[in-house]
Amino acid sequence: MAEATTPISDPYAYLNIAKNPDGSITRDLTNFPCAAATPDPSPQNPAVSKDLPVNHSNSTWLRLYLPSSAVNAGVSSQKLPLVVYYHGGGFILCSVDMQPFHDFCSEMARDLNAIVVSPSYRLAPEHRLPAAYDDGMEALEWIQTSDDEWIKSHADFSKVFLMGTSAGGNLAYNVGLRSADSVSDLSPLQIRGLILHHPFFGGEERCGSEIRLVNDQVCPPIVTDVMWDLSLPVGVDRDHEYSNPMVGDGSEDLEKIGGLRWKVMMIGGEDDPMIDRQIDVAKLMKKKGVEVVEQYTGGDAHGAEIRDPSKRKTLFVSIKNFISSLV
């Protein structure tokens, strides 16, 4: 018989955060080791990487990953798909250079044979939504006009994909909606699809999987409620369009995504309390004319492949097949 687990009762303690009188939070990051970029090719590094500033006034930046094989091939190598990857953390925690995200992006660049750009974004509650969406869009504009040699020599701007995990998946979805409304402004970048990896969605009424997994040990509703409370605009509830894409029968920009023939890959874990929300959003997108590929894995909790490196290879094979089907 499985050992009983104690439900999480204090989400602030679980997240290692403390609320301050001015509305900001103090984050204890001792459990979040960071990794430096790896600019020099070596057998230990699946990809080379470097950090570049985006917006000095907002202190935003990005980490760029290039497969080591592309470095070895030089400028004569083929141009590679470009994956813009937004990290997770409930919009309140984490950073591009956290070790699990760095390793995930390095391995993804190698396994997909793609350039991966991982932008930072301002965190809530100090910078509530839509600040993260603004920063996500600004990163695309930075790529569009970049003089960086890796991008100029290796990136195929006709094969761009927006991807994110958890809050990053929500961010990719919302940046996708904005981008569908401003395609000509992003030229020569051509977005071909969205890859939503365990995207972070919510709502006021508990869905079936949130009830079933109320005592989940990774990302239970008691924790995600706090994340939404700290990240949504002041005065709104979880049925806001940022957290709940189902409200009002969905964004009208979903039809534009369908009309542009972008494809969406929805990836979830059946032991994630948000799984039913992800399935519902996939259904909504299909209803709006978007082609959606769905992949839900039994036994996987929220963000499984970030926390468990042994699960990444299978995920990256599926994503590579998805990208190949569009290019």
Side-chain angles (χ1 to χ4, degrees):
M1 188 172 160
E3 187 178 333
T5 51
T6 306
I8 294 163
S9 58
D10 184 344
Y12 283 87
Y14 174 73
L15 293 167
N16 282 322
I17 61 173
K19 207 167 183 179
N20 299 319
D22 65 358
S24 66
I25 58 173
T26 300
R27 301 162 178 86
D28 179 355
L29 302 178
T30 49
N31 295 328
F32 295 109
C34 290
T38 53
D40 300 316
S42 80
Q44 291 79 37
N45 297 330
V48 291
S49 56
K50 61 181 173 183
D51 298 337
L52 297 163
V54 174
N55 183 322
H56 287 288
S57 62
N58 288 337
S59 302
T60 52
W61 56 284
L62 56 78
R63 182 163 290 181
L64 185 58
Y65 298 83
L66 182 67
S68 297
S69 57
V71 179
N72 299 333
V75 290
S76 63
S77 65
Q78 68 182 94
K79 297 269 184 151
L80 303 176
L82 179 69
V83 177
V84 181
Y85 174 83
Y86 302 104
H87 71 79
F91 292 115
I92 63 170
L93 292 171
C94 303
S95 59
V96 168
D97 55 355
M98 261 183 53
Q99 189 78 53
F101 290 120
H102 173 78
D103 293 345
F104 185 85
C105 287
S106 294
E107 293 170 30
M108 180 160 61
R110 176 195 64 199
D111 288 7
L112 301 187
N113 196 29
I115 292 182
V116 175
V117 180
S118 183
S120 76
Y121 51 90
R122 288 167 292 168
L123 297 179
E126 295 82 1
H127 306 280
R128 290 175 176 267
L129 294 173
Y133 303 154
D134 296 340
D135 296 341
M137 279 300 294
E138 189 173 37
L140 295 186
E141 292 154 8
W142 183 95
I143 296 165
Q144 178 190 26
T145 58
S146 175
D147 287 327
D148 178 77
E149 194 55 46
W150 288 4
I151 289 178
K152 288 200 297 185
S153 298
H154 299 285
D156 186 342
F157 277 7
S158 71
K159 301 172 183 174
V160 178
F161 294 84
L162 306 182
M163 176 179 175
T165 298
S166 190
N170 175 299
L171 210 163
Y173 175 81
N174 280 283
V175 170
L177 292 176
R178 288 191 183 188
S179 300
D181 202 32
S182 55
V183 170
S184 57
D185 295 341
L186 288 172
S187 179
L189 293 186
Q190 293 179 39
I191 296 169
R192 305 296 293 276
L194 313 180
I195 302 164
L196 309 180
H197 179 238
H198 297 215
F200 182 46
F201 297 132
E204 281 297 303
E205 187 178 338
R206 294 284 189 241
C207 65
S209 54
E210 287 171 339
I211 294 167
R212 173 171 61 89
L213 296 163
V214 66
N215 293 327
D216 175 59
Q217 293 294 292
V218 176
C219 208
I222 192 175
V223 169
T224 54
D225 285 355
V226 166
M227 290 171 162
W228 287 124
D229 182 54
L230 292 171
S231 60
L232 285 168
V234 173
V236 308
D237 64 21
R238 294 189 301 275
D239 281 335
H240 190 274
E241 60 183 340
Y242 294 161
S243 46
N244 188 352
M246 306 299 294
V247 294
D249 198 36
S251 167
E252 60 188 34
D253 288 327
L254 282 174
E255 277 102 342
K256 293 178 185 172
I257 288 177
L260 291 164
R261 301 185 67 80
W262 297 357
K263 270 173 81 170
V264 174
M265 186 174 191
M266 180 71 79
I267 305 163
E270 291 180 2
D271 282 355
D272 180 354
M274 283 173 266
I275 183 71
D276 285 0
R277 297 194 182 279
Q278 295 154 5
I279 291 169
D280 285 346
V281 172
K283 281 182 192 164
L284 173 69
M285 287 192 281
K286 286 190 274 193
K287 189 175 97 172
K288 300 282 188 178
V290 181
E291 190 175 345
V292 183
V293 175
E294 296 174 82
Q295 179 174 306
Y296 307 118
T297 308
D300 274 4
H302 188 70
E305 294 89 356
I306 302 297
R307 291 174 293 102
D308 184 352
S310 71
K311 293 180 178 286
R312 290 176 191 162
K313 190 71 81 175
T314 305
L315 173 69
F316 294 151
V317 167
S318 298
I319 294 173
K320 187 168 188 178
N321 290 339
F322 173 76
I323 289 175
S324 299
S325 74
L326 288 167
V327 299

